[in-house]
Amino acid sequence: MAKNLLVYENFEDFEIINFSIDNDTKGALEVLKWAYSHYGEDIVYACSFGVEGIVLIDLISKVKSNAKVVFLDTDLHFEETYKLIEKVRERYPELKIEIKKPSISLEEQENQYGPKLWELDANKCCEIRKVIPLQEVLAGATAWLSGLRRDQSESRKNTEFINKDNKFKSIKICPLIHWSWKDIWRYVHKNSLPYNELHDKAYPSIGCKTCTQPTLNIDDLRAGRWTGTGKVECGLHQT
Ligand code: SF4
């Protein structure tokens, strides 16, 4: 392990880094510059291609145009999401966008667990199709980036720029924590970024088509995900 590299094991011993948020990107660009100079190739962005993800990709491209971006493809995403990924590839041709699939297909999942596991046991389904694949991705990296924002939900309001990630025994870096929903959209429109068409059809947060519905509840930006189940996270951001 390189000396002075911030890793999961030495998180508590590492001096806290203070980033100024008094700038155009509320600290995001500074955090990204630090992250890529600190970790080099050893950091990965796990992108869901939601609107925060598009902003983060644009900012990342200014710091490291050939950064590694991984999309966890559950095989259950909307067509609009797959279309968006192609648009992003065209706009940022140097980015290394990798598609990570679960180890079992939907058919194998049905054979093992029965049909529509997402209705029977959504946590198990997320574990198979999202959590384990991310574990595999992070096995080859020291740190990862996420587009979490504090005002997305109660469970995200204490997120810091740099976090000790107990779930994946990693360092999770979240450059957009101080961005509001309006900041995100202002940036998207100002820079004419591509985004998922479903955002214009009352989907603030977009995941698998089987577990995402449109919502008119603009006070809860995670509304529409696992509606009526009490589930609020897919397991990637739980400690
Ligand atoms: S969001 Fe739904 S369909 Fe997608 S992995 Fe989780 S439970 Fe399965």
Side-chain angles (χ1 to χ4, degrees):
M1 183 188 305
K3 208 176 163 201
N4 291 333
L5 188 70
L6 173 59
V7 296
Y8 178 78
E9 290 78 11
N10 68 8
F11 185 85
E12 275 82 14
D13 307 330
F14 218 82
E15 205 174 310
I16 292 173
I17 306 162
N18 289 311
F19 297 97
S20 170
I21 59 169
D22 191 15
N23 47 54
D24 282 356
T25 65
K26 297 188 171 179
L29 213 46
E30 288 65 28
V31 171
L32 287 169
K33 284 178 187 162
W34 175 84
Y36 281 102
S37 73
H38 192 73
Y39 293 109
E41 297 294 319
D42 219 8
I43 184 165
V44 61
Y45 175 30
C47 184
S48 65
F49 288 84
V51 68
E52 288 89 355
I54 294 303
V55 169
L56 201 43
I57 280 181
D58 192 70
L59 293 172
I60 287 171
S61 73
K62 297 178 193 304
V63 176
K64 187 169 169 66
S65 56
N66 63 348
K68 182 172 168 182
V69 177
V70 176
F71 175 62
L72 302 176
D73 186 359
T74 59
D75 297 313
L76 288 160
H77 289 282
F78 291 94
E79 266 319 299
E80 288 84 346
T81 305
Y82 295 110
K83 260 202 298 188
L84 173 63
I85 294 172
E86 290 318 305
K87 283 188 198 166
V88 171
R89 282 191 200 278
E90 280 167 29
R91 177 147 175 166
Y92 307 94
E94 287 182 51
L95 271 189
K96 290 183 253 169
I97 301 178
E98 291 179 14
I99 306 293
K100 175 70 178 166
K101 297 258 192 189
S103 61
I104 56 172
S105 66
L106 285 173
E107 198 183 348
E108 287 165 330
Q109 180 168 300
E110 183 164 339
N111 289 341
Q112 285 181 41
Y113 299 96
K116 298 186 181 174
L117 182 58
W118 46 91
E119 287 178 8
L120 291 171
D121 186 347
N123 288 335
K124 186 75 191 165
C125 185
C126 275
E127 187 190 334
I128 295 167
R129 312 205 76 75
K130 290 184 172 182
V131 176
I132 293 173
L134 183 59
Q135 254 162 8
E136 290 168 359
V137 167
L138 296 186
T142 305
W144 64 298
L145 287 158
S146 166
L148 295 191
R149 293 183 301 105
R150 285 185 178 173
D151 80 357
Q152 275 173 319
S153 69
E154 269 300 295
S155 60
R156 298 181 176 187
K157 71 177 185 190
N158 295 321
T159 310
E160 299 289 349
F161 279 137
I162 302 175
N163 305 270
K164 184 178 187 190
D165 181 0
N166 291 317
K167 173 105 187 176
F168 294 103
K169 305 276 182 286
S170 183
I171 299 293
K172 182 165 71 174
I173 298 173
C174 305
L176 299 180
I177 53 174
H178 295 294
W179 287 51
S180 67
W181 187 235
K182 275 191 185 157
D183 292 332
I184 293 284
W185 281 103
R186 210 176 289 129
Y187 188 92
V188 166
H189 292 309
K190 189 174 163 205
N191 295 286
S192 306
L193 301 186
Y195 64 86
N196 197 317
E197 295 160 28
L198 292 174
H199 287 305
D200 293 334
K201 296 176 183 167
Y203 290 80
S205 176
I206 302 165
C208 298
K209 59 189 169 197
T210 39
C211 297
T212 311
Q213 291 178 2
T215 175
L216 294 176
N217 181 2
I218 56 162
D219 293 329
D220 180 358
L221 297 175
R222 298 281 292 165
R225 304 289 297 276
W226 304 287
T227 305
T229 67
K231 183 173 163 71
V232 292
E233 295 281 0
C234 56
L236 302 187
H237 302 296
Q238 282 158 340
T239 51

